[in-house]
Amino acid sequence: MRDHAEHAHRTGCPIVSDAAEFVTGTQEQAVASWVSYLNQLRIDNLLSALSQQDEHLRDALTSVDEAIKKIDLEVVAANRGGQHGMHGFIAEIAEVGIGNARKQILGHEADYQWVNDNGPVDLMRGSVQIQQKFVAAGGRFSLGAIIEHLQKYPEYVRNGGKYQIPRDHFAVIQRLYVLSPEEASKLLSRSGDGPSLRDWQRVQAFFQDRSVGFESLEPSALEYNEVQRDVYTSTMAAEKGSLHATDQSLRDDAYQRSGPTLREGGTAALTAAAAAGATAFVLAVIAKRREGKRLSEFSERDWIDLAGETGSGFGKGGVRGLSIYALTNFTATSAAVASSIVTTSFSIAEQANKLHRGQIDELEFIENSELIALQAAVRALASCVGQATIPIPVLGAVIGTTVGTVMYKAVASSLTKREAALIQRYLDEQRTLDEQLAAEYQAILEKLDQSMSAYLGLLQRAFSPDAQVALVGSVELAMELGVASDEILDSDEKVDAYFLD
């Protein structure tokens, strides 16, 4: 074992017993655990958002279902409003259900209430009073019904009340309201399809003759035709489909927000760089102090060396942090394994550089690389076990790495040359067994392939479209499958006896 230590020291191979490498390895796994914690936070936020969205969708659909049930029982079944007025009550209840559902799907509180007392107010939206008018008679886009209501309740608008009309009626009124006389005479027809010049005159007269501003009107979520008795069920079904579409869009947005970002990757890189730089600085200072120098005695050359070590650590830490972030987010790699991959890459690259400079030979390069990979595997495994045993971000990984490294050191230092030779002989036997099993496996595959080819040929002949070929093939298939020869219909006599006797 002493020979191995001397060899490692001569070649510059990082061994676990070295205090600096021990501290560095622990710091590296701590960074990896911290990156993993950042990733887990995003996943937890996504799961929480999706869980909340489940509740929002359930509440929204319940509002629509309750509205449908209320329309069915309290309006349609009771024939409330009769043939000409039923759609008005349907519109009120549907507005409450749909209005609340569209709020709830976004995570807001339901704020629509159906007043249902035949008074001046039909709906309440929070503290806003709403009188709903769905009237197409007279071609006045529900404005005639508003005039009648104002005559009965002249203080309604001054008290902050709103008039809600069908969405399609509101769109027409909004268009006609902003047209000047010149534009109206040029753009509107006196007869035919669409709003006419007479419609424009009625709208202008409505707002000029009464103390009702355009801001006192608002569109319903529904159009006039969507609340008729024979249509409202399909209207509400379409609203459910729209809610599902909105829900899916919100889930997609939550998923996009939960993804890795360049900013977070930069934060991971800078944090890892700072941690690695600080560790490198401390270790470099400790190395100088072990030479017998005090801080006050450090020369300019010493500080340049410290700056170089710190800068190198900072650069490697930045690459490490960004690499771990990329590996854990864009490949199926855990943080501990990702950190080990980066560590192994750096260390093997350093050994390759020594090989190129002639400081070590090819055999030493291979031996050192194997030891580096083994150490990285031990750290990764210990970090995973520690994090699972102590589910505290960073702390579990650090403790696990420390314990695992110490255990590895104890086991490695207890090996003698004889035990190492036994392990090597075991590895050689396993390699020989692997080669033997691989040869047997290949032979079995070839035999299976031949058997399958013959069997498929039998099946092809047995099910041939040529009746004569199929007859012969069926006999061959039956014999191959072990059917008794006296039960196989392979002659005209056997066929006649089977079907006629």
Side-chain angles (χ1 to χ4, degrees):
M1 198 64 199
R2 184 174 63 252
D3 294 340
H4 178 75
E6 293 175 353
H7 167 75
H9 177 74
R10 178 174 54 84
T11 58
C13 176
I15 22 182
V16 178
S17 59
D18 184 79
E21 291 296 333
F22 178 80
V23 172
T24 302
T26 303
Q27 171 262 317
E28 291 168 353
Q29 287 299 332
V31 169
S33 180
W34 178 74
V35 173
S36 178
Y37 177 64
L38 290 182
N39 296 338
Q40 189 61 48
L41 278 181
R42 286 189 285 104
I43 295 173
D44 291 343
N45 290 336
L46 173 61
L47 294 178
S48 176
L50 295 180
S51 178
Q52 290 178 356
Q53 193 56 43
D54 289 338
E55 296 180 8
H56 300 162
L57 177 62
R58 182 169 56 253
D59 293 341
L61 294 177
T62 298
S63 292
V64 175
D65 288 335
E66 289 177 351
I68 295 173
K69 183 178 180 180
K70 191 171 291 186
I71 292 172
D72 291 341
L73 297 178
E74 300 185 29
V75 179
V76 177
N79 196 33
R80 188 172 180 182
Q83 180 179 357
H84 299 292
M86 182 181 294
H87 71 278
F89 293 104
I90 294 175
E92 292 174 10
I93 300 174
E95 185 73 28
V96 171
I98 291 176
N100 285 336
R102 291 182 179 179
K103 287 276 191 178
Q104 291 167 317
I105 196 67
L106 300 175
H108 305 310
E109 293 292 331
D111 58 356
Y112 268 99
Q113 291 182 351
W114 187 35
V115 177
N116 192 27
D117 62 358
N118 294 320
V121 178
D122 292 330
L123 313 173
M124 291 293 297
R125 186 178 61 238
S127 60
V128 178
Q129 299 178 346
I130 298 175
Q131 171 64 213
Q132 197 178 70
K133 293 300 179 183
F134 269 65
V135 180
R140 291 184 288 179
F141 309 108
S142 302
L143 293 179
I146 294 177
I147 294 173
E148 295 176 2
H149 186 270
L150 277 173
Q151 291 173 348
K152 190 174 181 180
Y153 304 100
E155 300 298 320
Y156 177 75
V157 173
R158 283 193 288 271
N159 291 334
K162 293 275 190 179
Y163 285 106
Q164 191 177 88
I165 61 177
R167 190 174 72 245
D168 50 334
H169 289 189
F170 182 86
V172 174
I173 293 173
Q174 185 179 40
R175 178 191 173 195
L176 298 177
Y177 176 74
V178 298
L179 287 180
S180 65
E182 294 77 12
E183 292 172 327
S185 61
K186 183 185 302 183
L187 300 175
L188 302 176
S189 63
R190 297 183 182 277
S191 61
D193 297 334
S196 65
L197 186 60
R198 181 172 177 77
D199 293 329
W200 175 83
Q201 293 169 347
R202 286 174 176 173
V203 170
Q204 296 296 322
F206 173 84
F207 290 106
Q208 291 173 1
D209 297 344
R210 291 165 186 83
S211 57
V212 181
F214 183 77
E215 67 279 357
S216 297
L217 270 63
E218 68 176 36
S220 166
L222 301 160
E223 295 186 358
Y224 180 81
N225 291 330
E226 291 177 331
V227 297
Q228 304 306 309
R229 176 175 182 172
D230 56 345
V231 177
Y232 78 89
T233 53
S234 60
T235 299
M236 302 302 272
E239 182 63 26
K240 283 187 175 184
S242 177
L243 290 172
H244 279 289
T246 301
D247 173 72
Q248 186 59 51
S249 177
L250 292 171
R251 292 175 189 273
D252 292 341
D253 291 343
Y255 179 77
Q256 292 297 326
R257 290 194 303 271
S258 71
T261 62
L262 183 61
R263 179 177 180 180
E264 190 176 59
T267 301
L270 287 175
T271 303
T279 301
F281 175 78
V282 171
L283 292 176
V285 170
I286 292 175
K288 293 289 185 181
R289 294 281 290 120
R290 285 179 177 176
E291 295 175 1
K293 295 182 180 180
R294 298 179 181 180
L295 286 176
S296 58
E297 298 174 349
F298 282 10
S299 65
E300 181 180 355
R301 180 72 258 175
D302 292 330
W303 287 111
I304 292 176
D305 292 340
L306 290 175
E309 292 290 336
T310 304
S312 176
F314 188 90
K316 288 183 178 180
V319 173
R320 174 183 301 280
L322 190 59
S323 299
I324 294 174
Y325 188 82
L327 286 171
T328 54
N329 284 286
F330 300 107
T331 66
T333 308
S334 69
V337 174
S339 177
S340 296
I341 291 174
V342 177
T343 299
T344 304
S345 300
F346 281 150
S347 300
I348 292 180
E350 182 180 356
Q351 294 300 311
N353 187 37
K354 290 182 178 181
L355 176 63
H356 290 317
R357 293 200 304 263
Q359 296 179 353
I360 58 176
D361 57 26
E362 293 182 357
L363 179 59
E364 290 171 333
F365 171 75
I366 294 174
E367 291 176 348
N368 294 346
S369 298
E370 288 176 345
L371 187 56
I372 288 168
L374 177 60
Q375 292 173 1
V378 169
R379 288 172 182 168
L381 179 59
S383 176
C384 291
V385 172
Q387 192 64 71
T389 306
I390 307 174
I392 301 176
V394 181
L395 180 60
V398 170
I399 294 177
T401 301
T402 302
V403 173
T405 303
V406 172
M407 290 176 63
Y408 171 77
K409 175 184 176 182
V411 173
S413 61
S414 65
L415 291 178
T416 65
K417 292 183 178 180
R418 179 183 178 186
E419 291 165 341
L422 289 174
I423 293 175
Q424 184 61 45
R425 189 177 67 183
Y426 171 77
L427 292 176
D428 293 339
E429 292 174 353
Q430 289 297 313
R431 189 178 301 109
T432 302
L433 180 59
D434 286 343
E435 294 174 355
Q436 179 183 346
L437 291 176
E440 293 178 0
Y441 176 70
Q442 185 61 35
I444 292 173
L445 283 181
E446 293 175 357
K447 185 177 180 181
L448 180 61
D449 184 57
Q450 294 174 359
S451 300
M452 286 299 297
S453 298
Y455 179 66
L456 291 175
L458 283 175
L459 287 179
Q460 184 176 8
R461 292 193 296 274
F463 293 97
S464 171
D466 188 326
Q468 188 62 34
V469 174
L471 179 60
V472 176
S474 299
V475 172
E476 294 177 350
L477 180 61
M479 294 176 64
E480 181 68 22
L481 295 177
V483 178
S485 60
D486 57 343
E487 296 180 5
I488 300 176
L489 305 181
D490 54 359
S491 66
D492 294 340
E493 292 78 7
K494 288 184 179 181
V495 172
D496 292 340
Y498 181 81
F499 288 102
L500 298 179
D501 292 347

